[in-house]
Structures are given as C-alpha cells and as structure tokens.
Amino acid sequence: MSIAVIYGGNRPNGNVETLTKLATQGLIVEEIYLKDTIIQPIIDMRHAEEGFSEVNDDYNAIIERILPHDILIFATPIYWYSMTGMMKNFIDRWSQTLRDPNYPDFKAMMSSKKSYVIAVGGDQPYMKGLPMIQQFQHIFDFMGITFEGYILGEGNKPGDIVQDSKALSAAECLRRELQ
Amino acid sequence: MSIAVIYGGNRPNGNVETLTKLATQGLIVEEIYLKDTIIQPIIDMRHAEEGFSEVNDDYNAIIERILPHDILIFATPIYWYSMTGMMKNFIDRWSQTLRDPNYPDFKAMMSSKKSYVIAVGGDQPYMKGLPMIQQFQHIFDFMGITFEGYILGEGNKPGDIVQDSKALSAAECLRRELQ
Amino acid sequence: MSIAVIYGGNRPNGNVETLTKLATQGLIVEEIYLKDTIIQPIIDMRHAEEGFSEVNDDYNAIIERILPHDILIFATPIYWYSMTGMMKNFIDRWSQTLRDPNYPDFKAMMSSKKSYVIAVGGDQPYMKGLPMIQQFQHIFDFMGITFEGYILGEGNKPGDIVQDSKALSAAECLRRELQ
Amino acid sequence: MSIAVIYGGNRPNGNVETLTKLATQGLIVEEIYLKDTIIQPIIDMRHAEEGFSEVNDDYNAIIERILPHDILIFATPIYWYSMTGMMKNFIDRWSQTLRDPNYPDFKAMMSSKKSYVIAVGGDQPYMKGLPMIQQFQHIFDFMGITFEGYILGEGNKPGDIVQDSKALSAAECLRRELQ
C-alpha cells in the first residue's frame, strides 16, 4: 500500500503537518505541498462546444504524482469551516480531468483508492468541522473512492496540536492501520 | 436596503446567475463577478511575527465594494458539494482583513449585514448541498452576519434552472422579501 | 399515485398539519395520526436466537395502511432538532418488520415508494432542521425509498405557519408536483 | 466531578454499554437504563391555556437522578441514524420540564453541565452518525450544556465493538479526561 499526502495549508510545520507526520511516521509517503504549486481555478467548459482548454500550471503534475498511490490523505487546516481554497481549487479541477482525453481512466483509477482526511481547526473542529467531513464524503462517493476515516484536531497557533491528546491518539491508531 | 451579489462561478449566464437575477429583478444591485478578478490564496501569517504582507491583487477592491451594502448574496455554482474554490479563496482572505489595520472595523461592519446564499448544482443539491449551507452558517455565525436564507437549485447544463420550479418560486419569494 | 401522510405531532391542527393539508389540498390522502395510536419502542432482538416477539400494539396496522401507497409524506413538528420521539419509535420498529416473516417483501415494497418530509420548528428550522433532513436521507437511502423533497417551515404557536410565506409557497409547489 | 450515564438501548451488555463502561471504568457512575423505565411521549401543551398535565410515568424520577451530576453521558445505539426513540422521547419531555413549576431552575441547572455522546452503529457510523452529532449539538446549545465530545463506534452484533480499535482508544482517552 503506497501513500500520497496532499497538504492544503501554507504554513511550514503547521499543526496539520505535525499530526499527519505522526500518522505516517516510518512509512514511505509521497508528500505534495499545494502551497509550492500553482493551480488555477477551473474554467467550467463542461458544456461548451470547444471543451476545456489546456491549462499551463502545476495541476497535471500533481495528478501524475497521486495516481500511482493506493491511499490518499487529504491534510488541510480548516479555514472557514472547510478545506483551504487552494485545496478546493485542486479538487474543482477534477471536473476537467474527468473529461480530459489524456486521462481516460481518471475516474476508474481514483475509484480504486482509499482516502483519509486529516484536518485541524481552531473553532470547535469536532463539531464545526463536520460539514467539511460530509463534503469530503460526497466528493469521495462521487469518485468511488473509499472514505476510510478522518481525524479532526484542535489547534490555532503552530504547536497547539500537541495539546490535543484525542487527535494524537487517533493519529497513532491511523499509523497502525496504515502499516 | 442596498444589495451586493458576489458571483463565484465563471460561466457567463450560468444557472446561478439566472436564478439570482430573478431574485433581484427590478432591484439595484452591486454585482461582483469573482471570475473577472484575481484573488490570491491566503498566506496564513496570523501567528507570524511580521504579520500579513500586503497582497497585490483585486481582493481589497472587492471588500471596498461590498462593505457599503446591507445585504450580501453569495451566488455560487456548487462545485464538488461546496462553493467554488474561487469564492473560497475570497472568504479565506477575510482572516487577513480581520487583522488588517486598514480595516479596523471589518468584523463590526460585516456583522451588521444580512446574507443569503443562492447555489445551483447538478447532483441532488437539495440533499448534497446541505453541508455547504451548514458551512456558510458557521462562516456567518463567526462574523456575526445574519443568515437570512438560501435557495438551492438543480441544474447542470446552462439553462437547466428554468426547469426547477421549486427554485424559481423560491427566487420569487426572495424577490418579494428583498423589496 | 396514491398518498399516505404520517403525522408525528400530537397537537390537533398544528402548524405541520396546516402546511401538509395545503400541500395535499384536493388530493385523496390516507392520513395516519401517530398520536391516536400506540407504538412500543423496539426491543432489539436482531441477534437473539429467539428473534423478535410479536408486539401487541398499533404498529402493524399502520404498516398495512402505508404499504399500498406510492408516496409517503412524513409530517412532523421538529422537536429538539429532529422528528418526534413518537415518529422515531415508529421508524425504529422497521428493523423488526425487515425480519418479520409476515412481511417478506417489506423492503422491496418500501423501495418502490417516493417520500417527502414536511417539518415545522420554532428555532431556525431552515438551518437547525438540516441534520434531521440528512437523517431522513440516510433512512430513505437504506430502504431504497426515493427522497423527492422536503419543506421546512417556521412556527411555534399554532397558526404561526401562515406567516411563513416561503413555506406556504413551497407547499403550493409540492401540491402541483403531487397532482 | 460526578457522572450520570443515560443508556438509550435495550440490549443488555450491548456494544454501547461495553464502550461506555470502558470509558468510565473505575469511576463512580449513576447509570440510568431507559429500557427499564416507562416514558410517555410528550403531549405538547406549550401553547394550551391549561398547560401541561402531570404525567404518571418514570420521567421525573430520571430527571431527579441526573440533576445532581456534573457530567451527562448520552449512550445510545444508533437506530436509523440517530438516538433511539426511547431516548428521543426522554429528551422531548424536557420541553415540559422547562415549563414545570416544580423545576423552576431546570434550564439553569442543566446549563452548568458538561455532556458527552457515545454511540455505536452498524452502518458507517463515522459518516452517517454525523447528523445525530449535529442534532445533539443543537440540543445542548439550546440548553446551554457544554458538548465536550463524542465517540462513534462501529458494531452490529453484540461484541462487535471490541474490533473497533479506534473507538476503544477514544474510550481510553475519554477515561483519562473524566478522571
């Protein structure tokens, strides 16, 4: 089982990263930091005659990096009660890839994957992060991805997460699951 | 009562726009199309000593345009069960404005506003759009904005929305409410 | 298309009843008032050797009344952010019927039905009623019932609902749909 | 800190009970089994001139048992994606107690409490149990009760829960928290 982590935050060594590294400690992981890439918002051409235009950014390269892996971990700070806009733009673009002749098997390949969400927020994430979890559930259901589980952690300032013993222990459990 | 609409989609004359124009017909409305602007993802410097850097994009100009209005309508196609990444990036940046000395009253000014969400999606929006509505509720609660109501409509191809009589009639109701 | 309404409240001429009668005006409707029946809470014997015991109450008679119909309307006041305990006890008992040799086709028969939820509450039902709608969605999904739509209305005192123009207009739409 | 557990299931030694006992091991706990009591559904007389009638059942005795405690644990199997009808009937009756002259301080007393939810279900409880958690959140918010946390576990047949290492470890965490 090989693992890719998609990081949606932009803070180096942020709380989500700490938690995710704990959950994947000792495992080989392909780490993708969206903050180091440029991803354009989707231009919705699903129903335009000419179809989608090729976009000159880092999006396809990221797709190439995640496709070989069995497990995808979406690791995002909770901004305004959902994933970051950066991660949302990444997922929005899937609509283009679903129609991209260069990726005829995109949905089939994605549907064989398992996924996890790891998210940390400062405002009652155990409650107010639930709509985000439900959004991810719908996203994964649409793609046929199996949603294996999620960890919600509480933290604001960098380092806060080490105080959240519940999240730390969930990360430990996940690590055993991933081995 | 003056109204600003923030459009999150990028399709000209899309279903959300049709529905929103019906709901605001005959009213003076400040229309903001995010697709015609550039908004950078937030660089989270909330806890960095140096604080946030000024960003050279269209974000502040949009804030200037919405602040004078009493009512904000967030009009977005439902992409992957939430608002578009473009609209999410716009909202993510509020975290910066909340700490921006140029906008010392940002939260107070926002908290006096009323808001509506109008959203159209192709995959059971009446059900699968609900986590997005709950997310908006948390967003508005945080800012102290009164969430007055929402309309969910069903549509995929441009023009589909005129078949959704429930959404059209909700738009009519909203129009009477806004007058 | 024949219709059964299951009323979960106990107030005669309550707000939900008013709204539901508006939505079904002029149509022949089998009306079931749970308040006039006795339904025991389920005794969960799914995994007991002896299985479920027959229960001497009105539950099976209600099942007999709803099974012949194509459309089920669950009409309930929102008590504590969900359906009434009375209606919940009714649905809980489905677990018994699913294993009742007298109803070998229960799931198949239910799965051919369409359903609606009409619910009225006093505390921001348009927002705080959404988890209940999601719960109904899971219930109907499990049974294979098609969830055609829902109306949330606001009201506290009897008669309040006539002030909720949005709900009234949604009831009008539903009436056209049901004809 | 003294603890009362309210059990909503009716199976002796069910999965929820196992999980809850693990979370409260070594602590003095007031255990309330709703299955051993009779609780009538509420007759909603909030707006009737004559008000509520006294009900001759076990409800008030349960209220007397929970009021002295600082922490309430709602322990329920997930039936049809929410608490059992029995537990719902118990909570529905709070509306009566809120107007009961014998309990003039009911809301104030409840609002000083902390609460937890422990729930076990057989159909993807980590996802499909979330609307129930949101319902509890609204319930506790209304009463002013602090919602300290929840554990969702997976299980169907009695004993299944011991396979859910994530839930077991969450119960361990909770036990340390409660000490």
Side-chain angles (χ1 to χ4, degrees):
Chain A
M1 301 290 272
S2 84
I3 303 173
V5 177
I6 301 151
Y7 283 107
N10 58 50
R11 227 160 39 180
N13 307 312
N15 286 311
V16 185
E17 195 172 341
T18 303
L19 195 58
T20 306
K21 295 224 154 145
L22 184 60
T24 57
Q25 209 171 14
L27 302 169
I28 299 169
V29 172
E30 169 84 7
E31 296 184 315
I32 295 158
Y33 291 88
L34 296 183
K35 71 180 168 67
D36 300 334
T37 69
I38 290 179
I39 299 175
Q40 299 298 334
I42 192 169
I43 308 291
D44 179 4
M45 303 298 276
R46 285 175 300 151
H47 302 97
E49 240 176 85
E50 66 271 35
F52 284 96
S53 310
E54 223 174 290
V55 183
N56 188 15
D57 65 3
D58 301 318
Y59 170 78
N60 279 344
I62 300 171
I63 292 295
E64 298 286 349
R65 288 175 67 192
I66 69 172
L67 282 180
H69 297 283
D70 308 305
I71 293 174
L72 303 180
I73 299 178
F74 293 82
T76 182
I78 304 180
Y79 285 178
W80 296 97
Y81 311 103
S82 192
M83 67 183 90
T84 64
M86 211 151 44
M87 184 174 274
K88 187 59 170 45
N89 270 334
F90 170 66
I91 290 178
D92 283 356
R93 288 282 293 283
W94 293 2
S95 300
Q96 178 161 358
T97 312
L98 284 166
R99 289 160 186 81
D100 187 336
N102 295 319
Y103 295 97
D105 299 325
F106 180 58
K107 193 166 181 178
M109 291 177 79
M110 291 295 273
S111 75
S112 68
K113 300 188 192 313
K114 295 176 174 185
S115 67
Y116 294 88
V117 170
I118 299 179
V120 177
D123 182 19
Q124 295 183 259
Y126 292 104
M127 303 298 164
K128 299 186 182 172
L130 298 186
M132 175 189 65
I133 296 300
Q134 295 174 320
Q135 287 169 358
F136 271 113
Q137 179 186 9
H138 288 313
I139 291 169
F140 297 147
D141 280 355
F142 184 92
M143 293 299 281
I145 298 170
T146 310
F147 194 175
E148 287 287 326
Y150 55 87
I151 301 175
L152 294 169
E154 185 153 5
N156 231 316
K157 286 189 308 300
D160 277 1
I161 193 66
V162 302
Q163 310 294 334
D164 183 344
S165 60
K166 201 159 32 170
L168 297 181
S169 125
E172 277 296 337
C173 280
L174 177 52
R175 194 163 61 87
R176 285 194 295 271
E177 211 174 307
L178 292 174
Q179 264 159 356
Chain B
M1 302 288 273
S2 83
I3 303 172
V5 178
I6 301 151
Y7 283 108
N10 58 49
R11 227 159 41 179
N13 307 310
N15 286 311
V16 184
E17 194 172 341
T18 303
L19 195 58
T20 306
K21 295 224 153 145
L22 184 61
T24 57
Q25 209 171 15
L27 303 169
I28 299 169
V29 171
E30 171 84 8
E31 296 184 315
I32 295 158
Y33 290 89
L34 297 183
K35 71 181 168 67
D36 300 334
T37 69
I38 290 179
I39 299 174
Q40 298 297 336
I42 192 169
I43 307 292
D44 180 4
M45 303 298 276
R46 285 175 300 152
H47 302 97
E49 239 176 88
E50 66 271 35
F52 284 97
S53 309
E54 222 174 292
V55 182
N56 187 16
D57 64 2
D58 301 318
Y59 170 78
N60 279 345
I62 299 172
I63 292 297
E64 298 286 350
R65 287 174 69 191
I66 69 172
L67 281 180
H69 298 282
D70 309 304
I71 293 174
L72 303 181
I73 300 177
F74 293 80
T76 182
I78 304 179
Y79 284 177
W80 295 96
Y81 312 103
S82 190
M83 68 183 89
T84 64
M86 212 151 43
M87 184 175 274
K88 185 61 170 44
N89 270 334
F90 170 67
I91 290 177
D92 283 357
R93 287 282 293 283
W94 293 3
S95 300
Q96 178 161 357
T97 312
L98 283 166
R99 288 158 186 83
D100 187 337
N102 295 319
Y103 296 96
D105 300 325
F106 180 58
K107 193 166 181 180
M109 291 177 78
M110 291 297 273
S111 75
S112 68
K113 299 188 193 311
K114 295 175 174 185
S115 68
Y116 294 88
V117 170
I118 300 179
V120 178
D123 182 18
Q124 295 183 259
Y126 292 103
M127 302 300 164
K128 299 187 182 172
L130 298 185
M132 175 189 65
I133 296 300
Q134 294 175 318
Q135 180 193 350
F136 270 112
Q137 180 186 8
H138 289 312
I139 292 170
F140 297 147
D141 280 355
F142 184 91
M143 294 298 282
I145 298 170
T146 311
F147 194 175
E148 287 287 325
Y150 55 87
I151 301 176
L152 293 169
E154 184 153 5
N156 231 315
K157 287 189 309 300
D160 277 2
I161 193 66
V162 302
Q163 310 294 333
D164 183 344
S165 59
K166 202 159 30 171
L168 298 181
S169 124
E172 278 294 339
C173 281
L174 177 51
R175 194 163 61 87
R176 286 193 295 270
E177 211 174 306
L178 292 173
Q179 264 158 357
Chain C
M1 302 288 272
S2 84
I3 303 173
V5 178
I6 301 150
Y7 283 108
N10 59 49
R11 227 159 38 178
N13 307 312
N15 286 311
V16 185
E17 195 172 341
T18 304
L19 195 58
T20 306
K21 295 224 154 146
L22 184 60
T24 57
Q25 209 172 14
L27 303 169
I28 299 169
V29 172
E30 170 83 8
E31 296 184 314
I32 295 158
Y33 290 89
L34 297 183
K35 71 181 168 65
D36 300 334
T37 69
I38 290 178
I39 299 175
Q40 299 297 334
I42 192 169
I43 308 291
D44 179 5
M45 303 299 276
R46 285 175 299 152
H47 302 97
E49 240 177 85
E50 65 272 35
F52 284 96
S53 309
E54 223 175 291
V55 183
N56 187 16
D57 64 2
D58 301 317
Y59 171 78
N60 279 344
I62 299 172
I63 292 296
E64 299 284 351
R65 288 175 67 192
I66 69 172
L67 281 181
H69 297 282
D70 308 304
I71 293 174
L72 303 181
I73 299 177
F74 293 82
T76 182
I78 304 179
Y79 284 178
W80 296 96
Y81 312 102
S82 190
M83 67 183 89
T84 64
M86 211 151 44
M87 183 174 274
K88 185 60 169 44
N89 270 334
F90 170 67
I91 290 177
D92 283 357
R93 288 282 294 282
W94 293 2
S95 300
Q96 179 161 358
T97 312
L98 284 166
R99 288 159 187 82
D100 187 336
N102 295 319
Y103 295 96
D105 301 324
F106 180 58
K107 194 166 181 179
M109 291 177 79
M110 291 296 272
S111 74
S112 68
K113 300 189 192 310
K114 295 174 174 184
S115 68
Y116 294 88
V117 170
I118 300 178
V120 178
D123 182 19
Q124 296 183 260
Y126 292 103
M127 303 298 163
K128 299 186 183 172
L130 298 185
M132 175 189 65
I133 296 301
Q134 294 175 319
Q135 181 193 350
F136 270 113
Q137 179 185 8
H138 288 313
I139 292 170
F140 297 147
D141 280 356
F142 184 92
M143 294 298 281
I145 298 171
T146 310
F147 194 176
E148 287 286 327
Y150 55 86
I151 301 175
L152 294 169
E154 185 153 5
N156 232 315
K157 288 190 307 300
D160 277 1
I161 193 66
V162 301
Q163 310 294 334
D164 184 344
S165 60
K166 202 158 31 172
L168 298 182
S169 126
E172 279 294 338
C173 279
L174 178 51
R175 194 164 60 88
R176 284 195 295 270
E177 212 174 306
L178 292 173
Q179 266 160 354
Chain D
M1 302 288 272
S2 84
I3 303 173
V5 177
I6 302 150
Y7 283 108
N10 58 51
R11 228 159 39 178
N13 307 311
N15 286 310
V16 185
E17 195 171 342
T18 304
L19 195 58
T20 306
K21 296 225 153 146
L22 183 60
T24 57
Q25 209 171 13
L27 303 169
I28 299 168
V29 171
E30 169 83 8
E31 296 183 315
I32 295 157
Y33 291 89
L34 297 183
K35 70 180 169 67
D36 300 333
T37 69
I38 289 179
I39 299 175
Q40 299 297 335
I42 192 169
I43 307 291
D44 179 4
M45 303 299 275
R46 285 175 299 151
H47 302 96
E49 240 177 87
E50 66 271 35
F52 284 96
S53 309
E54 222 174 293
V55 183
N56 188 15
D57 64 3
D58 302 318
Y59 170 79
N60 279 343
I62 299 172
I63 292 296
E64 298 286 350
R65 288 175 67 192
I66 70 172
L67 281 180
H69 298 283
D70 308 304
I71 292 174
L72 303 181
I73 299 177
F74 293 82
T76 182
I78 304 179
Y79 284 178
W80 295 96
Y81 311 103
S82 193
M83 68 184 88
T84 64
M86 212 150 44
M87 184 174 275
K88 185 60 171 45
N89 270 334
F90 170 66
I91 290 178
D92 284 356
R93 287 282 293 283
W94 292 3
S95 300
Q96 178 161 357
T97 312
L98 284 167
R99 288 159 187 81
D100 187 336
N102 295 319
Y103 295 96
D105 301 324
F106 180 58
K107 193 167 181 177
M109 292 177 78
M110 291 296 273
S111 74
S112 68
K113 300 187 192 313
K114 294 174 175 186
S115 67
Y116 294 88
V117 170
I118 300 178
V120 178
D123 182 19
Q124 295 184 257
Y126 292 103
M127 303 297 164
K128 298 187 182 172
L130 299 185
M132 175 189 66
I133 296 301
Q134 295 174 319
Q135 288 168 359
F136 271 112
Q137 179 185 8
H138 288 312
I139 291 168
F140 297 147
D141 280 355
F142 184 92
M143 293 298 282
I145 299 170
T146 309
F147 193 175
E148 287 287 327
Y150 55 88
I151 302 176
L152 294 169
E154 184 152 6
N156 230 316
K157 286 190 308 300
D160 277 0
I161 193 66
V162 302
Q163 309 294 333
D164 184 345
S165 60
K166 202 159 29 172
L168 297 182
S169 126
E172 278 296 339
C173 280
L174 177 52
R175 194 163 60 88
R176 286 194 295 269
E177 211 174 306
L178 291 173
Q179 263 161 355

